[in-house]
Amino acid sequence: MTSLRIDYHSDLKEVQSDEALARLLSDAEQCAPFDRLAWWQGLTEHCGMTALLAVARSDDGIAVLPLSGSSGRLAALSNWYTFRFRPIVTGSPPLEGLARDLARRAHRLTLHGLPDEDGSASDLASAFRAAGWLVRRDRCDTNRILAVEGRKFDEYLAGRPGKLRTTLKRKTAKVATHILTRFDAEAWDEYEAIYAQSWKPEEGSHAFLRAFAKAEGEAGRLRLALAHAVDPSAKEPSPAIAAQMWTVEGGTAFIHKLAHRESGKALSPGSVLTAALMRHVMEVDGVSLIDFGTGDDPYKRDWMETQRPRYRLDMVRPLNARNWAYLACKWVRSLAAGAKRS
């Protein structure tokens, strides 16, 4: 009979003393920032999130589910900076055993941003259903990506929309771009100043993003780019008018942040800067995939060629009284929808 061990960690620092678990969640094993212990630690340290790391081990594999919440209402340990959320697994992970044990700690569990190209959403839904949970699965977001398929930048650009190609042809000579592969405090200060004057809304934790960028720079994964207006008559460099933060690892370039000053909008510095970074990650870094994160904004469609769905799983214990109001509401809505269809 296969043995099963379940552990819960609310202090993520104690995970580092578990050699096997720390190794599984390290840079060496995970090729995306959102799957690493350091990412979850950043969310707790800088974004005010609580953590409950659920770990199930059997003779056949390990399943790690990073959660947050309290009072029996748990959710994914993720936020607006997280491109996607998924369990970290090895071998034949004991997901059903973990789901059964979580019933002792939670009456409702909501996980959003789940991919299914790797089976994460389907595997979790099946495991929780088998463990006695009611599971509702909905599509909640879109992830835009580009499969490079060995193309050079100019070959790729030839297939982009005509309006974008025309913009780049007219504006590229008017904008100078600079790409850093290490963290630079002055460049980061420029990024924050640009963001403050951009069309982007105020968001999240600047401390989290700075700490993440610094760590990625030390690891050689950061691509921090700035754009300046070209002015041959200027005696001193003008302030940057656009900035972007990407990271590169495991054959993938992740586009994390981009912003431009409204005062420089006429020069299309964001488009010029994206093109420069695209060329760099394709021809210097040699990535096979470019990931533009979540959100189906029109400008992302100009650059990306493929989309992937992201899912939300809402899972409840049907016999727990704290869920009855929620279940009754769902039942009424279902009846109303059925009546409307008929």
Side-chain angles (χ1 to χ4, degrees):
M1 183 176 181
T2 301
S3 63
L4 179 64
R5 173 186 165 191
I6 311 287
D7 296 308
Y8 296 94
H9 302 278
S10 56
D11 182 356
L12 296 183
K13 292 181 180 179
E14 68 186 22
V15 176
Q16 295 171 330
S17 62
D18 185 324
E19 185 176 341
L21 191 56
R23 183 170 59 250
L24 172 62
L25 304 176
S26 69
D27 290 13
E29 293 295 323
Q30 303 302 330
C31 294
F34 328 108
D35 297 337
R36 292 198 286 264
L37 179 63
W39 181 267
W40 307 329
Q41 288 175 322
L43 293 177
T44 61
E45 292 171 11
H46 300 293
C47 301
M49 301 188 71
T50 59
L52 181 67
L53 198 66
V55 183
R57 309 177 212 228
S58 71
D59 297 336
D60 301 318
I62 301 175
V64 180
L65 197 58
L67 302 171
S68 181
S70 61
S71 302
R73 183 73 171 86
L74 298 178
L77 181 55
S78 65
N79 68 357
W80 49 88
Y81 296 123
T82 306
F83 285 22
R84 54 136 178 82
F85 171 88
R86 66 179 181 181
I88 309 304
V89 299
T90 62
S92 298
L95 287 172
E96 184 179 336
L98 181 57
R100 290 187 187 281
D101 197 78
L102 274 167
R104 298 187 302 108
R105 289 179 171 258
H107 63 89
R108 186 174 172 188
L109 182 61
T110 303
L111 307 177
H112 64 276
L114 287 159
D116 211 29
E117 62 269 13
D118 63 354
S120 290
S122 294
D123 290 346
L124 278 171
S126 296
F128 275 82
R129 285 193 183 104
W133 295 72
L134 290 182
V135 179
R136 178 185 174 92
R137 169 172 162 162
D138 297 295
R139 180 168 176 168
C140 66
D141 215 329
T142 297
N143 171 226
R144 287 276 172 181
I145 58 170
L146 171 72
V148 178
E149 297 175 335
R151 288 173 289 181
K152 297 297 184 181
F153 175 76
D154 289 337
E155 181 185 358
Y156 152 77
L157 184 61
R160 296 300 86 222
K163 184 178 179 180
L164 176 61
R165 288 186 283 111
T166 298
T167 295
L168 293 175
K169 185 176 182 179
R170 292 175 51 238
K171 303 300 175 93
T172 297
K174 299 178 181 180
V175 178
T177 60
H178 182 48
I179 299 173
L180 301 169
T181 59
R182 290 289 187 273
F183 183 82
D184 180 272
E186 291 185 5
W188 189 259
D189 288 344
E190 285 200 80
Y191 159 76
E192 290 193 342
I194 292 167
Y195 192 96
Q197 297 180 26
S198 75
W199 56 273
K200 296 278 189 174
E202 181 59 32
E203 64 170 40
S205 168
H206 291 289
F208 170 85
L209 204 60
R210 183 185 180 95
F212 172 61
K214 189 173 182 180
E216 293 297 284
E218 291 171 354
R221 297 186 291 255
L222 180 67
R223 303 294 177 266
L224 178 60
L226 298 173
H228 296 260
V230 172
D231 184 359
S233 64
K235 296 181 180 180
E236 296 182 358
S238 60
I241 54 175
Q244 296 188 20
M245 174 193 171
W246 297 26
T247 60
V248 173
E249 63 175 308
T252 297
F254 298 96
I255 306 176
H256 295 275
K257 286 293 164 189
L258 60 167
H260 64 264
R261 296 183 196 272
E262 286 298 300
S263 59
K265 186 177 180 179
L267 293 176
S268 301
S271 296
V272 175
L273 198 53
T274 298
L277 279 159
M278 284 281 193
R279 184 185 295 276
H280 185 96
V281 299
M282 287 180 177
E283 300 183 0
V284 178
D285 296 313
V287 302
S288 58
L289 188 76
I290 300 174
D291 189 331
F292 217 146
T294 55
D296 203 18
D297 308 87
Y299 71 88
K300 292 185 179 182
R301 300 175 205 167
D302 290 343
W303 296 99
M304 304 289 105
E305 296 175 343
T306 309
Q307 62 176 340
R308 302 186 294 197
R310 293 291 173 255
Y311 297 96
R312 177 178 55 250
L313 296 181
D314 199 7
M315 299 170 288
V316 299
R317 300 299 297 178
L319 300 182
N320 191 301
R322 286 176 289 183
N323 291 323
W324 291 350
Y326 165 79
L327 292 173
C329 181
K330 291 292 182 183
W331 180 69
V332 170
R333 288 182 181 178
S334 179
L335 286 178
K340 186 176 181 180
R341 286 194 297 270
S342 62

